[in-house]
Amino acid sequence: MRRAAGFTLMEVLVALTVLGVALAALIKVGSETARNAAYLRDRTYAHWVAMNVLAEARAGLLPLRAGVRRGSEELLGREWFWSLEMRQVRPSVLGQQLQALWRLQIGVYDAPAAQGRPLLRLEGYLPP
């Protein structure tokens, strides 16, 4: 008597289970990669917005005065919201007081009423 060739039902079920687990892991990795790519894209755009605000301040288009001001900018078909905090600081190096500088802290948000942590924070200094 000759035995029939092929897989048993149990072998097929085990193979399908292993394949299902592997595919689920691949789908999870793919979705995390897409989410990370979108996050990095948004941070790059936010950095461009912050650099634009800093360039406006350096060019003299934003008056240098202590306090916080807010604004928005459209970039790549999307509106970005920023806050700019200006204050004067007097750094010291090796015990020597240097001249006063303006410290600019720029935070970029992706929503108008964003509270808490910005998507990106940039700091720059300007002479008075």
Side-chain angles (χ1 to χ4, degrees):
M1 198 156 144
R2 193 161 183 224
R3 187 175 160 152
F7 295 107
T8 65
L9 179 60
M10 186 58 77
E11 290 171 333
V12 170
L13 289 175
V14 168
L16 286 175
T17 302
V18 169
L19 183 63
V21 169
L23 287 176
L26 283 175
I27 290 171
K28 183 176 186 229
V29 167
S31 68
E32 286 177 2
T33 300
R35 187 173 33 254
N36 285 339
Y39 173 73
L40 291 175
R41 179 202 62 214
D42 288 349
R43 284 210 22 120
T44 299
Y45 294 167
H47 185 260
W48 292 349
V49 169
M51 290 299 292
N52 287 344
V53 172
L54 185 59
E56 286 178 18
R58 285 183 176 159
L61 300 175
L62 295 174
L64 297 176
R65 67 175 187 264
V68 177
R69 72 181 69 159
R70 295 182 187 338
S72 66
E73 178 177 324
E74 186 173 330
L75 179 70
L76 297 166
R78 191 167 159 193
E79 191 169 10
W80 298 89
F81 302 89
W82 52 265
S83 69
L84 170 63
E85 180 185 347
M86 287 187 183
R87 65 182 167 127
Q88 279 196 314
V89 295
R90 291 190 57 94
S92 64
V93 177
L94 299 174
Q96 296 290 325
Q97 243 359 62
L98 301 179
Q99 73 173 9
L101 296 173
W102 283 99
R103 179 179 183 218
L104 285 69
Q105 282 189 310
I106 304 160
V108 180
Y109 304 86
D110 58 358
Q115 299 294 326
R117 194 169 158 184
L119 188 60
L120 179 114
R121 188 179 304 273
L122 181 71
E123 190 170 297
Y125 293 89
L126 294 176

